[in-house]
Amino acid sequence: MKRLSFIFGTRPEAIKLAPLILKFKEKTNFEVNVCITAQHREMLDQVLEIFEIQPDVDLNLMQPNQTLSSLTARVINSIDEYLDNYKPDIVFVQGDTTTVFAVSLVAFYKKIKIAHVEAGLRTWNKYSPFPEEINRVLTSKVADFHFAPTELSKENLLKENIDKKNIYVTGNTVIDALFIAREKVERNFPAIPGISPEVFKNSTRNILITGHRRENFGKGFEQICKAIHNLAVEFEDVNFIYPVHLNPKVQEPVKRLLSGRKNIILIQPLSYLPFIGLMTKADIILTDSGGVQEEAPSLGKPVLVMRENTERPEAVTAGTVKLVGTDTQTIFDNVKLLLTDNAAYDKMSNAVNPYGDGYASERIVGIINES
Ligand code: UD1
Ligand code: UDP
């Protein structure tokens, strides 16, 4: 029986690994062990609860305002011990966080096979997204199975001379998770903590906002918040709903610059089902998130991405995602265009699904089964 370890630490890793863990657990020829670094705490626990996943090992590593180096050191030390105790045949990691890079490094030291889910995303810019671009480049160097979501991500890996026999185009498991969530949301629309159901009963338009990228800390967030404030003043009949990421470097400027206006609704990060519910109710999404860029196009929602570049260009090419950077006036003008020009809005609101068909997990299970 193959022993599989799923090791992850943050909200998006949990969302994207949950469908895969559940699929592997259905099989009798694998022993599945779930180890969380808990690089995130509350935001990770919210996801585990929704998917009813009980970690076998919880390293509980998050510290308030943690630095990259201190977190990396804590993950390396704890995972070293975990891998010595559990001795898996294959370690699964997902994406590009500190947890992913540090776990991959330790698994490599121990010559344990590494399966990288969502491999091959690249901007080719060392500092954007920071530190994620380098986390994924380094993880690709040591991984044995590269599960690329799209043909483009496969091409990126080939450019780095990754052996093509180890690259598998599977689609992104984020769409598997989204389909599970959407079905539940459609069957029973969840309450959205912090938002009265009345908000969705009238014809008011809603803009959903998320943001947390390190490269936007400081000036970027100041400019983003000014744009949201100016939009809220100009469009008093539009709601700006913002579940604010728990990182203190995000909380501080957002609360300072955006509190106190009736049509700006600042709420706690939402659990996954309410968040998908809120996405379905949104008219426009303004974000710097990776996962949201992948989910929103399948829901037919126009997405304005507050970044200078993206490792997910497929939906930009399809026309439902547009990069607007962090300049106050550029964000303002692009949101205003979508609020005032129906043709521009309709052009961006087609449902497209370049990131997957909901069967990525099934493909990955099949590949590991035959390996
Ligand atoms: C991390 C990942 C980023 C990913 C993002 C998803 C790294 C370097 N960054 O960024 O790639 O896109 O998660 O959201 O791996 N905090 C809490 N509770 C939580 C989560 C965070 O209080 O549940 C606060 C803590 O003060 C923590 C801080 O946020 O120290 C930063 O968390 P961290 O995981 O280091 O960075 P993120 O910005 O969340
Ligand atoms: N998400 C959530 N609650 C929120 C905001 C986002 O469940 O309040 C989900 C979202 O649907 C997506 C994922 O979290 O699947 C994205 O996480 P995040 O933006 O933190 O990280 P990134 O994808 O940028 O790494």
Side-chain angles (χ1 to χ4, degrees):
M1 191 184 282
K2 270 200 187 102
R3 290 158 74 85
L4 310 180
S5 265
F6 289 81
I7 311 181
F8 53 95
T10 67
R11 168 172 71 191
E13 294 161 74
I15 290 169
K16 292 170 171 183
L17 282 178
L20 189 57
I21 292 170
L22 297 177
K23 272 267 169 299
F24 270 115
K25 284 195 166 182
E26 285 170 11
K27 302 272 172 197
T28 50
N29 52 333
F30 295 108
E31 186 181 288
V32 173
N33 194 270
V34 173
C35 169
I36 55 171
T37 63
Q39 167 180 342
H40 281 176
R41 186 70 273 172
E42 304 90 315
M43 287 161 57
L44 175 66
D45 295 342
Q46 284 178 330
V47 183
L48 296 172
E49 211 175 288
I50 296 285
F51 287 97
E52 295 176 30
I53 292 174
Q54 297 278 353
D56 299 287
V57 176
D58 181 348
L59 300 172
N60 197 22
L61 296 181
M62 193 195 87
Q63 287 179 1
N65 238 329
Q66 59 207 2
T67 64
L68 294 175
S69 305
S70 70
L71 175 64
T72 305
R74 291 198 301 281
V75 175
I76 288 177
N77 280 327
S78 314
I79 289 297
D80 191 85
E81 198 182 327
Y82 163 76
L83 291 178
D84 281 347
N85 288 339
Y86 184 62
K87 297 190 173 50
D89 298 301
I90 305 177
V91 162
F92 277 79
V93 290
Q94 194 289 332
D96 52 20
T97 65
T98 294
T99 289
V100 174
F101 159 61
V103 167
S104 301
L105 183 67
V106 180
F108 162 69
Y109 287 158
K110 296 181 184 299
K111 299 192 177 151
I112 297 170
K113 285 206 173 351
I114 300 160
H116 186 204
V117 179
E118 196 183 271
L121 278 62
R122 297 288 185 269
T123 58
W124 311 106
N125 180 332
K126 185 172 165 181
Y127 291 112
S128 180
F130 172 81
E132 291 83 1
E133 177 75 3
I134 292 304
N135 284 345
R136 19 180 207 244
V137 169
L138 297 175
T139 302
S140 295
K141 277 281 167 224
V142 293
D144 300 278
F145 298 91
H146 306 261
F147 296 118
T150 65
E151 285 296 333
L152 184 68
S153 38
K154 176 180 174 176
E155 280 167 33
N156 290 339
L157 292 167
L158 292 173
K159 280 186 198 148
E160 289 176 1
N161 294 323
I162 304 291
D163 191 336
K164 75 168 183 291
K165 74 172 189 318
N166 299 329
I167 307 174
Y168 307 88
V169 178
T170 57
N172 197 316
T173 54
V174 73
I175 304 297
D176 305 17
L178 176 65
F179 287 178
I180 296 170
R182 190 173 58 182
E183 205 256 318
K184 289 188 184 185
V185 165
E186 279 167 3
R187 216 170 341 117
N188 186 9
F189 195 84
I192 301 182
I195 301 183
S196 138
E198 299 307 313
V199 168
F200 303 120
K201 280 200 176 129
N202 53 34
S203 58
T204 310
R205 286 175 295 174
N206 296 300
I207 299 187
L208 170 60
I209 303 157
T210 80
H212 67 85
R213 297 245 79 87
R214 270 181 165 67
E215 60 276 16
N216 289 344
F217 287 175
K219 187 171 168 223
F221 267 97
E222 299 271 335
Q223 297 180 161
I224 288 169
C225 290
K226 275 185 200 139
I228 296 165
H229 177 269
N230 295 350
L231 284 159
V233 170
E234 173 126 349
F235 296 95
E236 280 189 327
D237 57 336
V238 174
N239 287 321
F240 295 80
I241 304 176
Y242 189 165
V244 188
H245 192 289
L246 293 180
N247 194 326
K249 299 213 168 51
V250 178
Q251 292 262 328
E252 190 282 317
V254 170
K255 289 191 172 156
R256 173 167 47 83
L257 294 164
L258 295 179
S259 293
R261 269 205 76 81
K262 195 165 159 281
N263 61 334
I264 299 181
I265 306 172
L266 303 181
I267 54 175
Q268 292 289 313
L270 290 170
S271 185
Y272 187 49
L273 293 185
F275 186 76
I276 297 300
L278 185 53
M279 272 217 266
T280 66
K281 301 284 186 195
D283 295 283
I284 299 168
I285 296 172
L286 193 55
T287 190
D288 66 13
S289 159
V292 175
Q293 280 179 68
E294 294 160 336
E295 292 159 340
S298 1
L299 300 174
K301 303 296 175 181
V303 188
L304 299 176
V305 175
M306 300 180 291
R307 293 174 50 180
E308 305 302 334
N309 54 25
T310 180
E311 63 283 42
R312 295 168 169 91
E314 293 88 348
V316 178
T317 308
T320 64
V321 168
K322 186 174 177 188
L323 290 178
V324 296
T326 56
D327 175 64
T328 302
Q329 195 59 42
T330 310
I331 296 172
F332 183 93
D333 291 343
N334 277 281
V335 174
K336 182 171 180 173
L337 180 73
L338 291 179
L339 286 172
T340 53
D341 181 334
N342 286 343
Y345 183 87
D346 290 345
K347 211 168 149 204
M348 277 191 82
S349 57
N350 292 323
V352 294
N353 217 343
Y355 298 109
D357 57 4
Y359 293 98
S361 306
E362 208 162 295
R363 290 189 190 98
I364 293 172
V365 171
I367 292 158
I368 296 294
N369 213 9
E370 288 180 9
S371 70

